[in-house]
Amino acid sequence: MRGGAEGETSASVVAPASAAGTSASASNASADAAEALRGPAGTPEDPAPSHRMRALLEELYPLPRSITGDGLRATLRVLRREVPGLTLHEVPSGTAAFDWTVPPEWNVRGARLVAPDGRVVADLTRHNLMLVNYSEPFRGRLPLAELRPRLHSLPDRPSAIPYRTSYYRRDWGFCLPHAELAALQGGTYEVEVDTTLAPGALTYAELVVPGRSRDEVLLSAHACHPSLANDNLSAVVVLAELARWLAGEGRRLTYRVLFAPGTIGTLVFLSRTPRARERVRHGLVLAGLGDDGPLAYKPTFRGDAAIDRAADLVLAELGPHVRLPFAPTGYDERQYASPGIRLPVGRLGRTPPGTYPEYHTSLDDLAFVKDASLAQALAALKRIVTVLEEDERLLSRAPYGEPQLGKRGLYEDTDTREQREALLWTLTMADGHSTFLDVAERSHLPTRELTEAKRRLERAGLVDRVGDDDDADQRH
């Protein structure tokens, strides 16, 4: 991994993540990329998901996103094209969202900084990060000494353009590579910031995939950063692909997919959906899934929720990964963990925010995001969803002694040791109280083997599912 957890020093590397571990991580990413591309058992690999994610990443990257405005709308409309059923919501400026208020809508038409010799020093058409996001409009001429406080750079990364915002404070400014900033000559500069701040709306997008149960899984990704590929377009495109997969077949659980601006967008969503909050049983924030670090999981506030257990099991099967400590920093998991909300929402990402040099700079470009990393993240999410879907209590229909498996075609010479043990562990714990997660944690067997064992036993009529009383109360 490229650094420590978000200000914490107690992140645990669950498998080696040294130089050798980094190599192993890349190898695992490639292997799980293949799994993510694979269709139903026995069918050839399907390259479409990886191609779709890369094409979507490239299409969304240049859009001038912010927490409001037409760049955000354009992004969400592209996602609506890719994710059938995705609904866009507009929330007016001035709307209260708990302790926050939706700000005026910001739009940008252009921005330039011209040197005394006529040379264009900064131009929005060169890179979206060159203008401080949410800059108020300004037109005028300023001497360099007066202009300097409004110019931002990164001396330790002289070729990078930093990402700066001014969402809740009226201001304007430009961001430059430090090498270019240091070379500026004295004199009067021409400034043009062609933006608007006016009453409008904040836009977010939501998809609900109904299941047999009203219990919900919440999956969210922030979609507000302009021209930053890993943070967070990588998670946006993975979530879009996951949403397509979720909608492709019947589910036990209901899935709510959210694309929203960071912080304010999530707070708006939470403040508008109190009844939906009551139904959330599991959740994940997705962020920074495209770099070459190992997958990293940040647990829920409680730390032992079903989503924590499912993520731990799946990531252990995938290989080297990191378990971060919970901290009230990072992305929107901190909103879901606030005292009045307290939803069981963890976070899946890779290298934590603020700990890699490309973070919030122009170095976080399309080349920084690896297709194999996106595919591995997609594979991990599909496995986590499968574990949550299977996490029910089972009750044996033959609880007195071990049932005879051979006469039901469940004891074959071709069975592997893991296949037989998966059947026996599932039967042994089919007491009406133990869940799929209990079986997986106790047996230390692969979740895929246990999933198949459970289904074989169900088909043979040896176990029944327990606890789906609300399945009939569906299609909300």
Side-chain angles (χ1 to χ4, degrees):
M1 191 174 70
R2 296 170 180 261
E6 310 147 76
E8 302 288 340
T9 57
S10 55
S12 56
V13 180
V14 184
S18 58
T22 302
S23 174
S25 176
S27 174
N28 283 324
S30 298
D32 289 301
E35 177 183 325
L37 299 177
R38 195 172 297 282
T43 65
E45 290 184 1
D46 175 12
S50 274
H51 290 168
R52 280 195 297 265
M53 288 191 288
R54 173 55 63 173
L56 186 57
L57 189 79
E58 293 176 353
E59 182 176 1
L60 296 178
Y61 180 78
L63 296 179
R65 276 174 297 281
S66 189
I67 57 173
T68 65
D70 291 336
L72 175 63
R73 283 191 192 90
T75 297
L76 298 178
R77 286 169 181 157
V78 170
L79 291 173
R80 182 172 61 186
R81 182 196 72 204
E82 296 296 313
V83 182
L86 191 69
T87 300
L88 271 59
H89 301 279
E90 298 271 349
V91 182
S93 303
T95 300
F98 304 127
D99 195 44
W100 294 62
T101 303
V102 174
E105 181 176 322
W106 182 76
N107 284 293
V108 56
R109 286 184 289 266
R112 293 202 323 161
L113 179 63
V114 182
D117 61 2
R119 181 172 50 90
V120 177
V121 174
D123 193 330
L124 193 69
T125 62
R126 176 178 163 192
H127 203 291
N128 281 323
L129 299 189
M130 292 200 115
L131 178 67
V132 170
N133 202 274
Y134 245 70
S135 281
E136 64 180 345
F138 180 84
R139 226 178 253 272
R141 294 169 59 82
L142 293 174
L144 181 60
E146 191 175 336
L147 183 62
R148 274 197 181 278
R150 298 180 181 274
L151 302 180
H152 308 278
S153 69
L154 297 168
D156 62 329
R157 284 159 282 177
S159 66
I161 304 169
Y163 173 50
R164 295 287 185 270
T165 66
S166 186
Y167 298 143
Y168 302 105
R169 178 173 57 89
R170 287 294 183 102
D171 201 357
W172 62 266
F174 288 91
C175 298
L176 299 167
H178 186 72
E180 296 181 21
L181 177 59
L184 292 181
Q185 301 297 312
T188 300
Y189 286 71
E190 183 179 330
V191 179
E192 178 188 350
V193 180
D194 188 6
T195 60
T196 59
L197 279 162
L202 176 149
T203 315
Y204 69 90
E206 180 183 27
L207 170 72
V208 177
V209 181
R212 299 191 305 274
S213 170
R214 291 171 62 86
D215 288 349
E216 290 194 8
V217 180
L218 174 63
L219 302 164
S220 75
H222 62 279
C224 50
H225 292 175
S227 300
L228 295 174
N230 193 44
D231 182 23
N232 191 38
L233 285 181
S234 63
V236 167
V237 301
V238 169
L239 183 53
E241 192 61 37
L242 183 67
R244 293 169 63 101
W245 177 74
L246 287 170
E249 58 184 78
R251 303 283 171 190
R252 178 176 72 89
L253 298 167
T254 291
Y255 292 82
R256 189 177 297 267
V257 174
L258 178 67
F259 299 99
T263 305
I264 184 63
T266 298
L267 291 171
V268 165
F269 163 75
L270 289 170
S271 68
R272 287 163 53 90
T273 55
R275 293 188 63 187
R277 294 203 311 261
E278 296 172 0
R279 297 194 290 269
V280 174
R281 299 293 176 266
H282 322 283
L284 282 174
V285 167
L286 307 182
L289 291 170
D291 66 79
D292 60 5
L295 286 168
Y297 180 70
K298 178 179 174 181
T300 65
F301 174 80
R302 200 177 76 189
D304 61 353
I307 186 64
D308 300 322
R309 299 164 66 194
D312 285 343
L313 284 167
V314 168
L315 295 184
E317 293 174 357
L318 290 177
H321 65 284
V322 174
R323 199 181 204 271
L324 301 166
F326 175 83
T329 55
Y331 295 107
D332 285 326
E333 66 275 8
R334 67 188 196 271
Q335 312 306 334
Y336 298 123
S338 58
I341 306 294
R342 279 289 194 268
L343 294 180
V345 177
R347 188 187 82 210
L348 185 66
R350 291 188 183 276
T351 311
T355 66
Y356 55 99
E358 297 85 357
Y359 176 73
H360 277 196
T361 77
S362 57
L363 303 179
D364 182 3
D365 57 15
L366 292 170
F368 182 59
V369 170
K370 307 299 186 288
D371 289 344
S373 296
L374 299 179
Q376 186 199 33
L378 179 62
L381 288 163
K382 287 181 177 181
R383 284 208 208 177
I384 290 170
V385 165
T386 300
V387 170
L388 295 176
E389 286 283 313
E390 298 295 335
D391 192 34
E392 301 169 278
R393 292 175 288 138
L394 294 180
L395 184 64
S396 174
R397 299 182 67 179
Y400 302 105
E402 181 181 296
Q404 187 177 0
L405 300 179
K407 69 180 183 182
R408 295 176 173 89
L410 298 176
Y411 197 91
E412 302 291 343
D413 291 340
T414 55
D415 289 344
T416 66
R417 178 185 61 81
E418 283 187 341
Q419 286 174 321
R420 289 181 179 173
E421 288 188 359
L423 290 169
L424 294 174
W425 270 108
T426 302
L427 284 168
T428 297
M429 297 186 70
D431 52 14
H433 303 289
S434 300
T435 66
F436 181 87
L437 284 170
D438 293 330
V439 178
E441 290 169 342
R442 185 77 181 270
S443 68
H444 304 291
L445 291 169
T447 54
R448 285 180 294 185
E449 293 289 358
L450 292 169
T451 298
E452 181 57 28
K454 176 185 173 185
R455 293 172 181 173
R456 291 175 70 190
L457 292 169
E458 285 182 301
R459 289 193 296 267
L462 282 173
V463 296
D464 289 326
R465 302 182 184 207
V466 178
D468 276 341
D469 294 338
D470 62 345
D471 278 5
D473 187 16
Q474 56 177 320
R475 307 298 176 194
H476 53 290

